[in-house]
Amino acid sequence: MLTRKQHELLMFIHERIKETGVSPSFDEMKEALDLASKSGIHRLITALEERGFLRRLAHRARALEVVKLPQQATTAAPPQGRQTFKPQVVEGDRAPAAPAPDARELSVLGRIAAGTPIDAIQHERDKLVVPESMLGAGEHFVLEVQGDSMINAGIYDGDYVVIRRGSTANSGEIVVALVKGEEATLKRLRKKGASIALEAANPAYETRIFGPDQIQVQGKLVGLIRRYH
């Protein structure tokens, strides 16, 4: 699983080589990713090498080779016996001005993260065009992701999550949940006896356990919209 910056750098290098036949300079990479120093680029390149996405070519200046590209619709392998969300991802700079016959315009209701006030997902702030193939039956809405608590499920800060509205979910599904009627969060739901656990997909965040009357499911995750700028 790549971090957002690793992914951005890999795609920038790939596009530049495809356009010019030459990998970009460290200064160009630093500027493209808006980093303060070249040392950050060195760390990203080293990480991409270690993961098998990049290869440095010996005895050649500015020589990087893209070995492989990440598959946006897959995620890191989950622990044995655990379900994982495999996001359908739409990439692009911006949504079309008007929906095509095979697309639907959905409301963007706000930003979603642990600790977000409930009213942040009750008011429309934008519209986004989403392919019908991602949706299926039911009512849907869109939220912008804030934070990195779900990165190991392939969901990054700034992504738009497509949610099918509903009040029930199976154990292991990623949901939008209201906690104690006061905050909204995007997490994986686990049913543990009489309790409900909300799990992050990032080891830096702890699993939170609640009574069944403290959690209200608002909908389930069905897809992602990722914009590259």
Side-chain angles (χ1 to χ4, degrees), residues 78-217:
Q80 187 67 28
R82 294 179 62 174
Q83 293 177 324
T84 183
F85 171 69
K86 295 185 178 180
Q88 300 179 57
V89 178
V90 174
E91 303 173 10
D93 294 328
R94 58 180 60 86
D102 57 351
R104 194 185 313 175
E105 190 175 58
L106 299 180
S107 297
V108 179
L109 298 185
R111 307 182 81 185
I112 183 75
T116 300
I118 183 174
D119 60 5
I121 64 167
Q122 290 184 325
H123 304 291
E124 181 179 306
R125 55 185 281 246
D126 199 358
K127 291 280 192 180
L128 207 59
V129 176
V130 179
E132 287 285 355
S133 60
M134 183 181 287
L135 300 176
E139 183 183 354
H140 298 75
F141 60 92
V142 177
L143 296 168
E144 183 181 359
V145 175
Q146 183 177 26
D148 61 356
S149 66
M150 297 301 289
I151 57 174
N152 287 345
I155 304 168
Y156 300 119
D157 182 66
D159 282 349
Y160 291 84
V161 288
V162 182
I163 306 297
R164 179 178 294 125
R165 195 182 295 275
S167 59
T168 61
N170 297 320
S171 185
E173 292 183 315
I174 295 176
V175 304
V176 171
L178 292 182
V179 180
K180 301 179 180 179
E182 296 177 352
E183 65 179 67
T185 187
L186 180 75
K187 293 292 184 290
R188 191 181 301 279
L189 182 144
R190 297 281 179 195
K191 296 179 181 178
K192 297 180 179 293
S195 299
I196 293 177
L198 295 181
E199 294 180 351
N202 182 336
Y205 295 81
E206 293 183 354
T207 296
R208 304 167 71 191
I209 308 293
F210 301 94
D213 59 338
Q214 296 177 305
I215 298 298
Q216 184 179 3
V217 174

Side-chain angles (χ1 to χ4, degrees), residues 38-112:
K38 294 180 186 178
S39 61
I41 296 296
H42 280 286
R43 286 193 295 271
L44 290 172
I45 288 177
T46 299
L48 289 168
E49 280 188 292
E50 291 173 348
R51 288 162 174 76
F53 289 94
L54 277 184
R55 181 187 298 128
R56 299 190 209 219
L57 303 179
H59 312 301
R60 290 175 57 187
R62 290 175 54 177
L64 294 171
E65 179 185 4
V66 176
V67 179
K68 63 180 180 179
L69 294 173
Q71 294 184 354
Q72 290 294 343
T74 62
T75 62
Q80 187 67 28
R82 294 179 62 174
Q83 293 177 324
T84 183
F85 171 69
K86 295 185 178 180
Q88 300 179 57
V89 178
V90 174
E91 303 173 10
D93 294 328
R94 58 180 60 86
D102 57 351
R104 194 185 313 175
E105 190 175 58
L106 299 180
S107 297
V108 179
L109 298 185
R111 307 182 81 185
I112 183 75

Side-chain angles (χ1 to χ4, degrees), residues 4 8 12 31-33 91-95 144 157-160 225-229:
R4 189 177 184 88
E8 288 177 359
F12 177 68
E31 182 177 347
L33 270 70
E91 303 173 10
D93 294 328
R94 58 180 60 86
E144 183 181 359
D157 182 66
D159 282 349
Y160 291 84
I225 305 293
R226 181 167 296 153
R227 291 173 170 177
Y228 294 104
H229 300 289

